[in-house]
Amino acid sequence: MSSSAHTRKTNKKNFPLECLLMPRVPRSNYLQFQEEKQKLQLKKLLLHRMFLVARVTANKEKKDIAEYYEQLFQSILKHHPGEAVTGLLLIYPNSIVHILESSNGTLYQILLDYLSHEKDEREFFIQGMKIIVTSHNIPTRLFMQWHVSVIKAPVMYLDDVTQSLSLQEVMTEFLIQTHKLALHLFKTVKVGTKGPGDNLHQVAPELLLPEQIIKYICNSAELMDPETFINMYNKPIHVTLDSEVVWPTPSSF
């Protein structure tokens, strides 16, 4: 009797310890889920996509514009490690369309560099930049690398057409055409190649925007310029509660 009673007492004492030693089901929070998702997509940080337009000095050499951005990308990655820049730069005779994919910090540094040149250099070859749209936390890239293409299409005078359309209609057309072009290049350009080259006006002329539309967007006062965007980015967010604007000040009894 004493032996069996002793065994039961021992089992009762060991039962909680055995429960502690039992393997538990691993649990993860939402942050860990997002981090694992980023690793599976081979992304270090959240990706963002930005569409830009700007005016450039007439007949500016493709080499000069491409070298400026390539050196800028290398400098940013050296001092601010993050996601590599991919995208597409379309160089028209007097304007550019630029699609950029990278981390939020890298895009921020690109805009800051433009502002520094715009303020310090009166004759900087990129002027009047406007931000069309910024897409946050994109699921995947449309471009596997950064491409530059010169558009050699003939100049089209569409003053009457652009003046008859609203800004919303022009912006809609801009976004539709650029997304179609991006998807076309995503399907046709292989990783590691030089990109679409300078014959897009022959390969996919229906996907290219006339330069007159780009000029129309650059001259639009409704669209945000980099300086305004940076000021909003750096501005702290203050949430004002209803109780803070009620007069007299509510008091507890």
Side-chain angles (χ1 to χ4, degrees), residues 61-142:
E61 293 292 334
K62 168 187 174 182
K63 179 181 178 182
D64 297 334
I65 301 177
E67 284 184 352
Y68 160 71
Y69 277 110
E70 288 172 356
Q71 293 175 4
L72 174 61
F73 297 160
Q74 293 176 3
S75 175
I76 292 175
L77 284 176
K78 182 178 180 181
H79 297 92
H80 304 275
E83 284 287 341
V85 178
T86 60
L88 175 67
L89 174 63
L90 300 178
I91 303 176
Y92 289 78
N94 298 286
S95 59
I96 60 172
V97 176
H98 206 176
I99 306 174
L100 296 165
E101 299 174 332
S102 188
S103 62
N104 190 53
T106 300
L107 297 178
Y108 177 81
Q109 293 296 326
I110 292 173
L111 295 179
L112 281 181
D113 186 82
Y114 164 76
L115 287 178
S116 66
H117 285 288
E118 186 185 41
K119 293 179 179 179
D120 298 338
E121 301 178 23
R122 294 182 179 179
E123 298 182 356
F124 185 52
F125 55 85
I126 302 175
Q127 291 289 335
M129 181 177 289
K130 292 294 178 64
I131 301 173
I132 307 301
V133 67
T134 302
S135 301
H136 299 286
N137 193 15
I138 57 177
T140 185
R141 296 178 185 263
L142 284 176

Coordinates of all heavy atoms in Angstrom, one line a residue, residues 61-142:
E61 N 22.0 64.3 -74.5 CA 22.5 62.9 -74.8 C 22.0 61.9 -73.8 O 21.9 62.1 -72.6 CB 24.0 63.0 -74.8 CG 24.6 63.8 -75.9 CD 24.4 63.2 -77.3 OE1 24.2 61.9 -77.3 OE2 24.4 63.9 -78.3
K62 N 21.6 60.8 -74.4 CA 21.1 59.6 -73.5 C 22.2 59.2 -72.5 O 21.9 58.9 -71.4 CB 20.8 58.5 -74.4 CG 20.6 57.1 -73.7 CD 20.4 56.0 -74.6 CE 20.3 54.7 -73.9 NZ 20.1 53.5 -74.8
K63 N 23.5 59.2 -73.0 CA 24.6 58.8 -72.1 C 24.7 59.6 -70.9 O 24.9 59.1 -69.8 CB 25.9 58.9 -72.9 CG 27.1 58.5 -72.1 CD 28.4 58.6 -73.0 CE 29.6 58.3 -72.2 NZ 30.9 58.5 -73.0
D64 N 24.5 61.0 -71.0 CA 24.6 61.8 -69.8 C 23.5 61.6 -68.8 O 23.8 61.5 -67.6 CB 24.6 63.3 -70.3 CG 25.7 63.7 -71.2 OD1 26.8 63.0 -71.1 OD2 25.6 64.6 -72.0
I65 N 22.3 61.4 -69.3 CA 21.2 61.2 -68.4 C 21.3 59.8 -67.7 O 21.1 59.7 -66.5 CB 19.8 61.3 -69.2 CG1 19.7 62.6 -69.8 CG2 18.6 61.0 -68.2 CD1 18.4 62.8 -70.6
A66 N 21.7 58.8 -68.5 CA 21.8 57.5 -67.9 C 22.9 57.4 -66.9 O 22.8 56.8 -65.8 CB 22.1 56.4 -69.1
E67 N 24.1 58.1 -67.2 CA 25.2 58.1 -66.3 C 24.8 58.8 -65.0 O 25.2 58.3 -63.9 CB 26.4 58.7 -66.9 CG 27.1 57.8 -67.9 CD 28.4 58.5 -68.5 OE1 28.6 59.7 -68.2 OE2 29.1 57.9 -69.2
Y68 N 24.1 59.8 -65.1 CA 23.7 60.6 -63.8 C 22.9 59.6 -62.9 O 23.2 59.5 -61.7 CB 22.8 61.8 -64.2 CG 22.0 62.3 -63.1 CD1 22.5 62.9 -62.0 CD2 20.6 62.1 -63.1 CE1 21.8 63.4 -60.9 CE2 19.8 62.6 -62.0 CZ 20.4 63.2 -60.9 OH 19.6 63.6 -59.9
Y69 N 21.9 58.9 -63.4 CA 21.1 58.0 -62.6 C 21.9 56.8 -62.1 O 21.7 56.4 -61.0 CB 19.8 57.6 -63.4 CG 18.7 58.7 -63.3 CD1 18.4 59.4 -64.4 CD2 18.1 58.9 -62.1 CE1 17.4 60.4 -64.3 CE2 17.1 59.9 -62.0 CZ 16.7 60.6 -63.1 OH 15.7 61.5 -63.1
E70 N 22.7 56.3 -63.0 CA 23.5 55.1 -62.6 C 24.4 55.4 -61.4 O 24.5 54.7 -60.4 CB 24.3 54.5 -63.8 CG 23.4 53.8 -64.8 CD 24.2 53.5 -66.0 OE1 25.4 53.8 -66.1 OE2 23.6 52.8 -66.9
Q71 N 25.1 56.6 -61.5 CA 26.0 57.0 -60.4 C 25.2 57.3 -59.1 O 25.6 57.0 -58.0 CB 26.8 58.2 -60.8 CG 27.8 57.9 -61.9 CD 28.5 59.2 -62.4 OE1 28.3 60.3 -61.9 NE2 29.3 59.0 -63.4
L72 N 24.0 57.9 -59.3 CA 23.1 58.2 -58.2 C 22.7 56.9 -57.5 O 22.7 56.8 -56.2 CB 21.9 59.0 -58.6 CG 20.8 59.3 -57.6 CD1 21.4 60.1 -56.4 CD2 19.7 60.0 -58.2
F73 N 22.3 55.9 -58.2 CA 21.8 54.6 -57.7 C 23.0 54.0 -56.9 O 22.7 53.5 -55.8 CB 21.3 53.7 -58.7 CG 20.1 54.2 -59.5 CD1 19.8 53.7 -60.7 CD2 19.3 55.2 -59.0 CE1 18.7 54.1 -61.4 CE2 18.2 55.7 -59.6 CZ 17.9 55.1 -60.9
Q74 N 24.2 54.0 -57.4 CA 25.3 53.3 -56.8 C 25.6 54.1 -55.5 O 26.0 53.5 -54.5 CB 26.5 53.3 -57.7 CG 26.3 52.4 -58.9 CD 27.5 52.5 -59.9 OE1 28.5 53.2 -59.6 NE2 27.4 51.8 -61.0
S75 N 25.6 55.4 -55.5 CA 25.9 56.2 -54.3 C 24.9 55.9 -53.2 O 25.2 55.8 -52.0 CB 25.9 57.7 -54.7 OG 26.1 58.5 -53.5
I76 N 23.6 55.8 -53.6 CA 22.6 55.6 -52.6 C 22.7 54.2 -51.9 O 22.6 54.1 -50.7 CB 21.2 55.7 -53.2 CG1 20.9 57.2 -53.6 CG2 20.1 55.3 -52.2 CD1 19.6 57.4 -54.4
L77 N 23.0 53.2 -52.7 CA 23.1 51.9 -52.2 C 24.4 51.8 -51.3 O 24.4 51.0 -50.4 CB 23.2 50.9 -53.3 CG 21.9 50.5 -54.0 CD1 22.1 49.6 -55.2 CD2 20.9 49.9 -53.1
K78 N 25.4 52.6 -51.6 CA 26.6 52.5 -50.9 C 26.4 53.2 -49.5 O 26.9 52.6 -48.5 CB 27.7 53.3 -51.6 CG 29.1 53.2 -50.9 CD 30.1 53.9 -51.8 CE 31.5 53.9 -51.1 NZ 32.5 54.6 -51.9
H79 N 25.7 54.3 -49.4 CA 25.6 55.0 -48.2 C 24.2 54.7 -47.4 O 24.1 54.9 -46.2 CB 25.6 56.5 -48.4 CG 27.0 56.9 -48.9 ND1 27.3 57.1 -50.3 CD2 28.1 57.3 -48.3 CE1 28.5 57.5 -50.4 NE2 29.0 57.6 -49.2
H80 N 23.2 54.2 -48.2 CA 22.0 53.8 -47.6 C 21.5 52.5 -48.2 O 20.7 52.4 -49.1 CB 20.9 54.9 -48.0 CG 21.3 56.3 -47.5 ND1 21.0 56.7 -46.3 CD2 21.9 57.3 -48.2 CE1 21.5 58.0 -46.2 NE2 22.0 58.3 -47.3
P81 N 22.1 51.4 -47.6 CA 21.7 50.1 -48.2 C 20.2 49.8 -48.1 O 19.6 50.1 -47.2 CB 22.5 49.1 -47.2 CG 23.6 50.0 -46.6 CD 23.0 51.3 -46.5
G82 N 19.7 49.3 -49.2 CA 18.3 48.9 -49.3 C 18.1 48.1 -50.6 O 18.9 47.3 -51.0
E83 N 16.9 48.3 -51.1 CA 16.6 47.5 -52.3 C 17.2 48.2 -53.6 O 17.2 49.4 -53.7 CB 15.0 47.5 -52.5 CG 14.4 46.5 -51.6 CD 14.6 45.1 -51.9 OE1 15.0 44.8 -53.1 OE2 14.4 44.2 -51.1
A84 N 17.7 47.4 -54.5 CA 18.2 47.9 -55.7 C 17.1 48.5 -56.6 O 15.9 48.2 -56.4 CB 18.9 46.7 -56.5
V85 N 17.5 49.5 -57.4 CA 16.5 50.2 -58.2 C 16.3 49.5 -59.5 O 17.2 49.1 -60.2 CB 17.0 51.6 -58.5 CG1 16.0 52.4 -59.4 CG2 17.2 52.4 -57.2
T86 N 15.1 49.2 -59.9 CA 14.7 48.7 -61.2 C 13.6 49.6 -61.8 O 13.0 50.4 -61.1 CB 14.1 47.3 -61.1 OG1 12.9 47.3 -60.3 CG2 15.1 46.3 -60.5
G87 N 13.4 49.6 -63.1 CA 12.5 50.4 -63.7 C 12.8 50.7 -65.1 O 13.5 50.0 -65.8
L88 N 12.2 51.8 -65.6 CA 12.3 52.2 -67.0 C 12.4 53.7 -67.1 O 11.6 54.4 -66.5 CB 11.1 51.7 -67.8 CG 11.1 52.0 -69.3 CD1 12.2 51.4 -70.1 CD2 9.7 51.6 -69.9
L89 N 13.4 54.2 -67.9 CA 13.5 55.6 -68.2 C 13.3 55.8 -69.7 O 14.1 55.3 -70.5 CB 14.9 56.1 -67.8 CG 15.3 57.5 -68.2 CD1 14.3 58.5 -67.5 CD2 16.7 57.8 -67.8
L90 N 12.3 56.5 -70.1 CA 12.0 56.8 -71.5 C 12.5 58.2 -71.7 O 12.0 59.2 -71.1 CB 10.5 56.7 -71.8 CG 9.9 55.3 -71.6 CD1 8.4 55.3 -71.9 CD2 10.6 54.2 -72.4
I91 N 13.4 58.4 -72.7 CA 14.0 59.7 -73.0 C 13.4 60.2 -74.3 O 13.7 59.7 -75.4 CB 15.5 59.7 -73.0 CG1 16.1 59.1 -71.7 CG2 16.1 61.1 -73.3 CD1 17.6 58.9 -71.8
Y92 N 12.6 61.3 -74.2 CA 12.0 61.9 -75.4 C 12.9 63.1 -75.7 O 13.8 63.5 -75.0 CB 10.6 62.4 -75.1 CG 9.6 61.4 -75.0 CD1 9.4 60.6 -73.9 CD2 8.7 61.1 -76.1 CE1 8.4 59.6 -73.8 CE2 7.7 60.1 -76.0 CZ 7.6 59.4 -74.9 OH 6.6 58.4 -74.8
P93 N 12.7 63.8 -76.9 CA 13.6 64.9 -77.2 C 13.6 66.0 -76.2 O 14.7 66.6 -75.9 CB 13.0 65.4 -78.5 CG 12.4 64.2 -79.1 CD 11.8 63.4 -78.0
N94 N 12.5 66.3 -75.5 CA 12.5 67.4 -74.5 C 11.9 67.0 -73.2 O 11.6 67.9 -72.4 CB 11.6 68.6 -75.1 CG 12.2 69.1 -76.4 OD1 13.2 69.8 -76.4 ND2 11.6 68.8 -77.5
S95 N 11.7 65.7 -72.9 CA 11.1 65.3 -71.7 C 11.4 63.8 -71.4 O 12.0 63.1 -72.3 CB 9.6 65.5 -71.7 OG 9.0 64.7 -72.8
I96 N 11.1 63.4 -70.2 CA 11.4 62.0 -69.8 C 10.2 61.5 -69.0 O 9.4 62.2 -68.4 CB 12.6 61.9 -68.9 CG1 12.5 62.7 -67.6 CG2 13.9 62.2 -69.7 CD1 13.6 62.5 -66.6
V97 N 10.0 60.2 -69.1 CA 9.1 59.4 -68.3 C 9.9 58.4 -67.5 O 10.7 57.6 -68.1 CB 8.0 58.7 -69.1 CG1 7.1 57.8 -68.2 CG2 7.1 59.7 -69.9
H98 N 9.8 58.4 -66.2 CA 10.6 57.5 -65.4 C 9.8 56.7 -64.4 O 9.0 57.2 -63.6 CB 11.6 58.4 -64.5 CG 12.9 57.7 -64.2 ND1 13.9 58.3 -63.5 CD2 13.2 56.4 -64.4 CE1 14.9 57.4 -63.4 NE2 14.5 56.2 -63.9
I99 N 9.9 55.4 -64.5 CA 9.3 54.5 -63.6 C 10.3 53.9 -62.7 O 11.3 53.3 -63.2 CB 8.5 53.3 -64.3 CG1 7.6 53.9 -65.4 CG2 7.8 52.5 -63.4 CD1 6.9 52.9 -66.2
L100 N 10.2 54.0 -61.4 CA 11.2 53.5 -60.4 C 10.6 52.5 -59.4 O 9.5 52.8 -58.9 CB 11.8 54.7 -59.6 CG 12.6 55.7 -60.4 CD1 12.8 57.0 -59.6 CD2 13.9 55.2 -60.8
E101 N 11.3 51.5 -59.2 CA 10.9 50.5 -58.2 C 12.0 50.3 -57.2 O 13.1 49.9 -57.6 CB 10.5 49.1 -58.9 CG 9.4 49.2 -59.9 CD 9.2 47.9 -60.6 OE1 10.2 47.2 -60.8 OE2 8.1 47.6 -61.0
S102 N 11.7 50.5 -55.9 CA 12.8 50.4 -54.9 C 12.1 50.5 -53.5 O 10.9 50.6 -53.4 CB 13.9 51.3 -55.1 OG 15.0 51.1 -54.2
S103 N 13.0 50.6 -52.5 CA 12.5 50.8 -51.2 C 12.1 52.3 -51.0 O 12.5 53.2 -51.8 CB 13.6 50.4 -50.1 OG 14.7 51.2 -50.3
N104 N 11.4 52.6 -49.9 CA 10.9 53.9 -49.7 C 12.1 54.9 -49.5 O 12.1 56.0 -50.0 CB 10.0 53.9 -48.5 CG 9.3 55.2 -48.3 OD1 8.6 55.8 -49.2 ND2 9.4 55.8 -47.1
G105 N 13.1 54.4 -48.7 CA 14.2 55.3 -48.4 C 15.0 55.6 -49.7 O 15.5 56.7 -49.8
T106 N 15.2 54.7 -50.6 CA 15.9 54.9 -51.8 C 15.2 55.9 -52.7 O 15.8 56.8 -53.3 CB 16.1 53.6 -52.6 OG1 16.8 52.7 -51.8 CG2 16.9 53.8 -53.9
L107 N 13.9 55.8 -52.9 CA 13.1 56.7 -53.6 C 13.2 58.1 -53.0 O 13.3 59.1 -53.7 CB 11.6 56.3 -53.7 CG 11.4 55.0 -54.5 CD1 9.9 54.6 -54.5 CD2 11.9 55.0 -55.9
Y108 N 13.2 58.2 -51.7 CA 13.3 59.5 -51.0 C 14.6 60.1 -51.3 O 14.7 61.3 -51.6 CB 13.2 59.2 -49.5 CG 13.4 60.4 -48.6 CD1 12.3 61.3 -48.4 CD2 14.6 60.6 -48.0 CE1 12.5 62.4 -47.6 CE2 14.7 61.7 -47.1 CZ 13.7 62.6 -46.9 OH 13.9 63.7 -46.1
Q109 N 15.7 59.4 -51.3 CA 17.0 59.9 -51.6 C 17.1 60.4 -53.1 O 17.8 61.4 -53.4 CB 18.1 58.9 -51.4 CG 18.3 58.5 -49.9 CD 18.8 59.7 -49.1 OE1 19.5 60.5 -49.5 NE2 18.3 59.7 -47.8
I110 N 16.5 59.7 -54.0 CA 16.5 60.1 -55.4 C 15.8 61.5 -55.6 O 16.3 62.3 -56.3 CB 15.8 59.0 -56.3 CG1 16.6 57.8 -56.3 CG2 15.5 59.6 -57.7 CD1 15.9 56.6 -57.0
L111 N 14.7 61.7 -54.9 CA 14.0 63.0 -55.0 C 14.9 64.1 -54.3 O 14.9 65.2 -54.8 CB 12.7 62.9 -54.3 CG 11.6 62.0 -55.0 CD1 10.3 62.0 -54.2 CD2 11.4 62.4 -56.4
L112 N 15.5 63.7 -53.2 CA 16.4 64.7 -52.5 C 17.5 65.2 -53.4 O 17.9 66.3 -53.4 CB 16.9 64.1 -51.2 CG 16.0 64.1 -50.0 CD1 16.7 63.5 -48.8 CD2 15.5 65.5 -49.7
D113 N 18.1 64.2 -54.1 CA 19.2 64.6 -55.0 C 18.8 65.5 -56.1 O 19.5 66.4 -56.5 CB 19.8 63.3 -55.6 CG 21.1 63.6 -56.4 OD1 22.2 63.7 -55.8 OD2 21.0 63.7 -57.7
Y114 N 17.6 65.2 -56.7 CA 17.1 66.1 -57.7 C 16.8 67.5 -57.2 O 17.2 68.5 -57.8 CB 15.7 65.5 -58.2 CG 14.9 66.6 -59.0 CD1 15.3 66.9 -60.3 CD2 13.8 67.2 -58.4 CE1 14.5 67.9 -61.0 CE2 13.1 68.1 -59.1 CZ 13.4 68.5 -60.4 OH 12.7 69.4 -61.1
L115 N 16.3 67.6 -55.9 CA 16.1 68.9 -55.4 C 17.4 69.7 -55.1 O 17.4 70.9 -55.3 CB 15.3 68.8 -54.0 CG 13.8 68.4 -54.1 CD1 13.2 68.2 -52.7 CD2 13.1 69.4 -54.9
S116 N 18.4 69.0 -54.7 CA 19.7 69.6 -54.5 C 20.3 70.2 -55.8 O 20.8 71.3 -55.8 CB 20.7 68.7 -53.9 OG 21.0 67.6 -54.8
H117 N 20.1 69.5 -56.9 CA 20.6 70.0 -58.2 C 19.7 71.1 -58.7 O 20.2 72.1 -59.3 CB 20.6 68.8 -59.2 CG 21.7 67.9 -59.0 ND1 23.0 68.2 -59.3 CD2 21.8 66.6 -58.6 CE1 23.8 67.1 -59.1 NE2 23.1 66.2 -58.6
E118 N 18.4 71.0 -58.5 CA 17.5 72.0 -59.0 C 17.8 73.4 -58.3 O 17.7 74.4 -58.9 CB 16.1 71.6 -58.8 CG 15.0 72.5 -59.4 CD 13.6 72.1 -59.0 OE1 13.4 71.7 -57.8 OE2 12.8 72.2 -59.9
K119 N 18.1 73.3 -57.0 CA 18.3 74.6 -56.3 C 19.8 75.1 -56.5 O 19.9 76.4 -56.5 CB 18.1 74.3 -54.8 CG 16.7 74.0 -54.4 CD 16.5 73.8 -53.0 CE 15.1 73.5 -52.6 NZ 14.9 73.2 -51.2
D120 N 20.7 74.3 -56.7 CA 22.1 74.7 -56.8 C 22.6 75.0 -58.2 O 23.5 75.7 -58.4 CB 23.1 73.7 -56.1 CG 22.8 73.5 -54.7 OD1 22.2 74.4 -54.0 OD2 23.1 72.4 -54.1
E121 N 21.9 74.3 -59.1 CA 22.3 74.5 -60.5 C 21.2 75.1 -61.4 O 20.2 74.4 -61.5 CB 22.7 73.1 -61.1 CG 23.9 72.4 -60.4 CD 24.2 71.1 -60.9 OE1 23.9 70.8 -62.1 OE2 24.8 70.3 -60.2
R122 N 21.4 76.2 -61.9 CA 20.3 76.9 -62.7 C 20.1 76.2 -64.0 O 19.0 76.2 -64.6 CB 20.7 78.3 -62.9 CG 20.8 79.2 -61.7 CD 21.1 80.6 -62.0 NE 21.1 81.5 -60.8 CZ 21.4 82.8 -60.9 NH1 21.6 83.4 -62.0 NH2 21.4 83.5 -59.7
E123 N 21.2 75.5 -64.5 CA 21.1 74.9 -65.8 C 21.1 73.3 -65.7 O 21.6 72.6 -66.5 CB 22.2 75.3 -66.7 CG 22.1 76.8 -67.0 CD 23.2 77.3 -67.9 OE1 24.1 76.4 -68.3 OE2 23.3 78.5 -68.3
F124 N 20.6 72.8 -64.6 CA 20.5 71.3 -64.4 C 19.6 70.8 -65.5 O 18.5 71.4 -65.8 CB 20.0 71.0 -63.1 CG 20.0 69.5 -62.8 CD1 21.1 68.7 -63.0 CD2 18.8 68.9 -62.4 CE1 21.1 67.4 -62.7 CE2 18.8 67.5 -62.1 CZ 19.9 66.8 -62.3
F125 N 20.0 69.7 -66.2 CA 19.3 69.3 -67.4 C 18.0 68.6 -67.1 O 17.2 68.4 -68.1 CB 20.2 68.3 -68.2 CG 20.7 67.1 -67.4 CD1 19.9 66.0 -67.3 CD2 21.9 67.1 -66.8 CE1 20.3 64.9 -66.5 CE2 22.4 66.0 -66.1 CZ 21.6 64.9 -65.9
I126 N 17.6 68.4 -65.9 CA 16.2 67.9 -65.5 C 15.5 69.0 -64.8 O 16.0 69.5 -63.8 CB 16.3 66.6 -64.7 CG1 17.1 65.5 -65.5 CG2 14.9 66.1 -64.4 CD1 17.3 64.3 -64.7
Q127 N 14.3 69.4 -65.3 CA 13.6 70.5 -64.7 C 12.1 70.1 -64.6 O 11.6 69.3 -65.4 CB 13.8 71.8 -65.5 CG 15.2 72.4 -65.4 CD 15.5 73.0 -64.0 OE1 14.6 73.3 -63.3 NE2 16.8 73.0 -63.6
G128 N 11.4 70.8 -63.8 CA 9.9 70.7 -63.7 C 9.4 69.3 -63.5 O 8.4 68.9 -64.0
M129 N 10.1 68.6 -62.6 CA 9.6 67.2 -62.3 C 8.3 67.2 -61.6 O 8.1 68.0 -60.7 CB 10.7 66.5 -61.5 CG 10.4 65.0 -61.2 SD 11.7 64.2 -60.3 CE 13.0 64.0 -61.6
K130 N 7.5 66.2 -61.9 CA 6.2 66.0 -61.3 C 6.0 64.5 -61.0 O 6.4 63.6 -61.7 CB 5.0 66.4 -62.2 CG 5.0 67.9 -62.4 CD 4.7 68.7 -61.2 CE 4.7 70.2 -61.4 NZ 3.6 70.7 -62.3
I131 N 5.4 64.3 -59.8 CA 5.2 62.9 -59.3 C 3.7 62.5 -59.8 O 2.8 63.2 -59.3 CB 5.3 62.8 -57.8 CG1 6.8 63.1 -57.4 CG2 5.0 61.4 -57.3 CD1 7.0 63.2 -55.9
I132 N 3.6 61.5 -60.6 CA 2.3 61.1 -61.1 C 1.6 60.3 -60.0 O 0.5 60.6 -59.6 CB 2.4 60.3 -62.4 CG1 3.2 61.1 -63.4 CG2 1.0 60.0 -62.9 CD1 2.6 62.5 -63.7
V133 N 2.2 59.2 -59.6 CA 1.6 58.4 -58.6 C 2.7 57.6 -57.9 O 3.7 57.3 -58.5 CB 0.5 57.4 -59.2 CG1 1.2 56.4 -60.1 CG2 -0.3 56.7 -58.1
T134 N 2.5 57.2 -56.6 CA 3.4 56.3 -55.9 C 2.5 55.1 -55.4 O 1.6 55.3 -54.6 CB 4.0 57.0 -54.7 OG1 4.8 58.2 -55.2 CG2 5.0 56.1 -54.0
S135 N 3.0 53.9 -55.7 CA 2.3 52.7 -55.3 C 3.1 52.1 -54.2 O 4.3 51.8 -54.4 CB 2.1 51.7 -56.4 OG 1.4 52.3 -57.5
H136 N 2.5 51.9 -53.0 CA 3.2 51.4 -51.8 C 3.0 49.9 -51.7 O 2.0 49.3 -52.0 CB 2.7 52.1 -50.6 CG 2.9 53.6 -50.6 ND1 4.1 54.2 -50.4 CD2 2.0 54.6 -50.8 CE1 4.0 55.5 -50.5 NE2 2.8 55.8 -50.8
N137 N 4.1 49.3 -51.2 CA 4.1 47.8 -50.9 C 3.6 47.0 -52.0 O 2.6 46.2 -51.9 CB 3.2 47.6 -49.6 CG 3.4 46.2 -49.1 OD1 4.4 45.5 -49.4 ND2 2.5 45.7 -48.2
I138 N 4.2 47.2 -53.2 CA 3.8 46.4 -54.4 C 4.2 44.9 -54.2 O 5.3 44.6 -53.6 CB 4.5 47.0 -55.6 CG1 6.0 47.0 -55.5 CG2 4.0 48.4 -55.9 CD1 6.7 47.5 -56.7
P139 N 3.4 44.0 -54.6 CA 3.7 42.6 -54.4 C 4.9 42.1 -55.2 O 5.6 41.2 -54.7 CB 2.4 41.9 -54.8 CG 1.8 42.8 -55.8 CD 2.2 44.2 -55.3
T140 N 5.2 42.6 -56.3 CA 6.3 42.1 -57.1 C 6.8 43.2 -58.1 O 6.0 44.2 -58.3 CB 5.9 40.9 -58.0 OG1 7.0 40.4 -58.6 CG2 4.8 41.2 -59.0
R141 N 7.9 43.1 -58.6 CA 8.5 44.0 -59.6 C 8.0 43.8 -61.0 O 7.7 42.6 -61.4 CB 10.0 44.0 -59.6 CG 10.7 44.3 -58.3 CD 12.2 44.2 -58.4 NE 12.9 44.4 -57.2 CZ 13.5 45.5 -56.8 NH1 13.4 46.6 -57.7 NH2 14.1 45.7 -55.7
L142 N 7.8 44.8 -61.7 CA 7.5 44.7 -63.2 C 8.8 44.7 -64.0 O 8.8 44.2 -65.1 CB 6.7 45.9 -63.6 CG 5.2 45.9 -63.2 CD1 4.5 47.2 -63.7 CD2 4.5 44.7 -63.8

